[in-house]
Amino acid sequence: MRLRPRVRGAGLVAQGVAAAVLLAAPRPVLCQYTPSVSGAVGFLHNTNKGVTGYAPNFMPVALVPVGQHVLFETRGTFVESITPGTNGRSERTRFNRGYAFIQLDVLATRHTTFVLGKFQTPFATYNERLSPIWIGKFQDGPLTFPIGNNGAAGTGGEMRGSLFSGSKMSIDYATFYASNVTGGQFKSTRATGGRMDVYFPGTGVEVGTSYTYIFSGAHPNAFGAHFWWQPVGGALAVKSEYAHSTHSQGYWIETAYRLLHWKGPESAIGRLEPVFRLQQTFRNSPDGTDNLPGVDTHRADFGLNYFLPHEVRINGSYSRQFASTGNGNIWRTGLTYRFVLPAWPGKKQ
Amino acid sequence: MLIVAGVAWFGWLAAAGQTAGRPVSAAAHTKQAPQKAQTTAPPQDPGERAFQQNCNRCHNAPQELPRRVTGTVLLHMRVRAGLSEADERAILRYMTQ
């Protein structure tokens, strides 16, 4: 049977439309929710005012999803601290282990995730986002870290998520309540607080504010603010935080610049990232419980990171600290290897 | 003096970078989309755009990510980095296509 030309033409158009629809349709996402083990191993060295120590370090992260809405996650830190002995004795070694978080996440709605267990205190940015050894530009945290972080973690619950996400702006939040737990890995102080961030994708600017109230002791309040600027696709990253507590306050500002523009990120020079950090703390009255320096302290940190293939990073830094109790130099070097591995066989696709 | 030297150093580096004008996207570090690197225009793919805007804010992109764990890692980042559900889906699609 021969079709009329008009009918044949319509058939060809229909086939073309169908092919275009099939090509334009989103492809199925070929991913799996398999348990994984990631993290880093590192060998860190520091010389602080003439005293040298070494710290082989293992920081694994275990992720166990249950479906697509429930996740169990934990991050451990295993460190062997090696410090020189006194009076001619051999080195002292001490093994430390701890868990930054052991938590169950329930992704209840598009905007709400409930977290139960031991979680990192969501105050400012360093604790949750920069503290892993494979992320932080410097080996050590900022001097202001103890402010508002309630000992870095709490045991209780969090409610967090993305309030709004658009092409011009996104807003996310985290609120928490930590109960009083004594001893063990879940040791915690009763506290509450939260953080809110606003991110502007066009400019790469992120601003946020945090608050923590501790129910015990002198009931200290802590207030924090942060400002980050990272032009999208660029090599520059500026990060800063300000934190204020009852008896002390301080800030840090860090600038990193990956030398991508010299023959690309895989070139010998493009793998290099100079980093600079300036930090200051100020004290208005003595307080032995807030873990900040006892006197006004200023520090300048200069660092170099070198990113080798296969997720290996070498870093080194020099810091000069100024305080009325004495000035000093701090030298640090480190080698870290970051890994991500499936912890369970996957399904055939 | 150290502080002044540091600030001057980074000022010079930032200025040099702007004139060189060849930023590299996060995808340069992934196996999934090496061809999408070395572009100055913002990426058109919503997943790549979400990837650059969210993942690189805290860390370098992993050089290798086994496909078996992409869903798990994105679930982890949705909690830890405050990713929206839409961004999570877009990044998953970008990384697994």
Side-chain angles (χ1 to χ4, degrees):
Chain A
M1 187 175 71
R2 294 187 62 186
L3 293 174
R4 277 190 257 172
R6 187 177 292 176
V7 174
R8 195 165 50 197
L12 285 172
V13 169
Q15 283 176 12
V17 169
V21 167
L22 281 172
L23 286 172
R27 294 181 217 170
V29 174
L30 298 172
C31 68
Q32 289 185 18
Y33 292 84
T34 304
S36 80
V37 177
S38 57
V41 288
F43 187 85
L44 313 178
H45 145 268
N46 78 84
T47 301
N48 191 343
K49 296 179 182 173
V51 180
T52 299
Y54 303 94
N57 203 310
F58 178 46
M59 192 180 273
V61 179
L63 306 174
V64 181
V66 181
Q68 296 183 20
H69 296 281
V70 178
L71 176 70
F72 171 78
E73 52 180 342
T74 181
R75 190 176 89 207
T77 304
F78 305 91
V79 185
E80 182 85 32
S81 298
I82 304 166
T83 50
T86 50
N87 300 327
R89 292 180 185 167
S90 60
E91 292 83 12
R92 287 182 302 166
T93 61
R94 184 174 177 181
F95 179 71
N96 294 304
R97 69 180 169 87
Y99 297 90
F101 54 85
I102 308 170
Q103 63 186 58
L104 186 73
D105 310 324
V106 180
L107 287 81
T109 72
R110 279 197 298 168
H111 304 292
T112 312
T113 298
F114 294 103
V115 176
L116 293 171
K118 179 180 180 179
F119 55 85
Q120 289 182 292
T121 306
F123 185 88
T125 58
Y126 180 80
N127 192 25
E128 282 196 314
R129 295 164 67 177
L130 304 175
S131 57
I133 58 171
W134 65 95
I135 293 179
K137 305 289 186 191
F138 289 97
Q139 281 178 29
D140 62 329
L143 295 170
T144 55
F145 173 71
I147 295 178
N149 277 304
N150 190 30
T155 298
E158 269 187 301
M159 190 171 86
R160 60 190 304 157
S162 169
L163 267 186
F164 171 79
S165 181
S167 60
K168 293 202 163 87
M169 184 174 73
S170 61
I171 304 171
D172 64 79
Y173 72 98
T175 58
F176 74 93
Y177 174 81
S179 58
N180 203 25
V181 180
T182 53
Q185 287 296 337
F186 288 90
K187 186 179 176 185
S188 165
T189 303
R190 195 166 157 237
T192 188
R195 185 188 61 221
M196 183 165 281
D197 308 314
V198 183
Y199 176 62
F200 303 94
T203 54
V205 168
E206 177 186 324
V207 291
T209 183
S210 323
Y211 176 76
T212 295
Y213 176 76
I214 296 175
F215 292 98
S216 61
H219 300 265
N221 285 302
F223 164 78
H226 70 267
F227 170 86
W228 284 20
W229 177 48
Q230 286 178 270
V232 174
L236 178 71
V238 178
K239 298 181 172 109
S240 64
E241 275 184 18
Y242 166 76
H244 180 277
S245 188
T246 311
H247 298 133
S248 55
Q249 60 179 323
Y251 73 89
W252 59 268
I253 179 165
E254 177 188 287
T255 313
Y257 188 83
R258 178 88 181 255
L259 303 178
L260 300 169
H261 303 287
W262 278 268
K263 299 182 180 176
E266 310 299 333
S267 68
I269 296 179
R271 295 178 181 279
L272 197 61
E273 183 184 57
V275 199
F276 173 66
R277 182 173 65 185
L278 172 67
Q279 40 186 341
Q280 290 188 289
T281 62
F282 307 95
R283 178 166 290 288
N284 58 28
S285 63
D287 184 346
T289 61
D290 65 9
N291 293 319
L292 251 71
V295 296
D296 292 359
T297 301
H298 317 294
R299 189 194 284 183
D301 307 288
F302 300 86
L304 277 177
N305 289 316
Y306 196 79
F307 297 90
L308 290 165
H310 306 294
E311 311 280 9
V312 177
R313 182 179 71 168
I314 299 172
N315 59 16
S317 67
Y318 163 73
S319 307
R320 178 71 178 166
Q321 182 163 303
F322 306 91
S324 59
T325 50
N327 302 335
N329 297 323
I330 305 165
W331 295 88
R332 295 176 197 274
T333 55
L335 177 71
T336 54
Y337 167 65
R338 176 191 180 194
F339 60 88
V340 184
L341 301 168
W344 201 258
K347 295 172 189 170
K348 285 185 180 175
Q349 292 179 339
Chain B
M1 280 298 289
L2 285 172
I3 294 165
V4 172
V7 171
W9 183 28
F10 275 97
W12 175 76
L13 284 173
Q18 280 173 3
T19 50
R22 202 177 66 162
V24 174
S25 75
H29 304 283
T30 65
K31 274 188 162 178
Q32 288 79 11
Q35 300 304 317
K36 296 175 185 174
Q38 312 286 342
T39 56
T40 50
Q44 295 302 308
D45 182 279
E48 186 179 1
R49 196 165 52 234
F51 184 94
Q52 288 193 8
Q53 289 171 354
N54 291 285
C55 306
N56 264 22
R57 276 153 73 188
C58 294
H59 56 77
N60 292 332
Q63 289 173 1
E64 293 178 19
L65 189 62
R67 184 164 283 189
R68 264 189 279 168
V69 300
T70 43
T72 308
V73 170
L74 264 292
L75 208 55
H76 169 65
M77 296 320 298
R78 183 162 163 204
V79 178
R80 200 138 296 275
L83 274 185
S84 68
E85 188 181 38
D87 284 342
E88 180 202 3
R89 295 285 161 191
I91 295 171
L92 260 181
R93 190 166 289 118
Y94 166 65
M95 296 186 79
T96 52
Q97 268 179 357

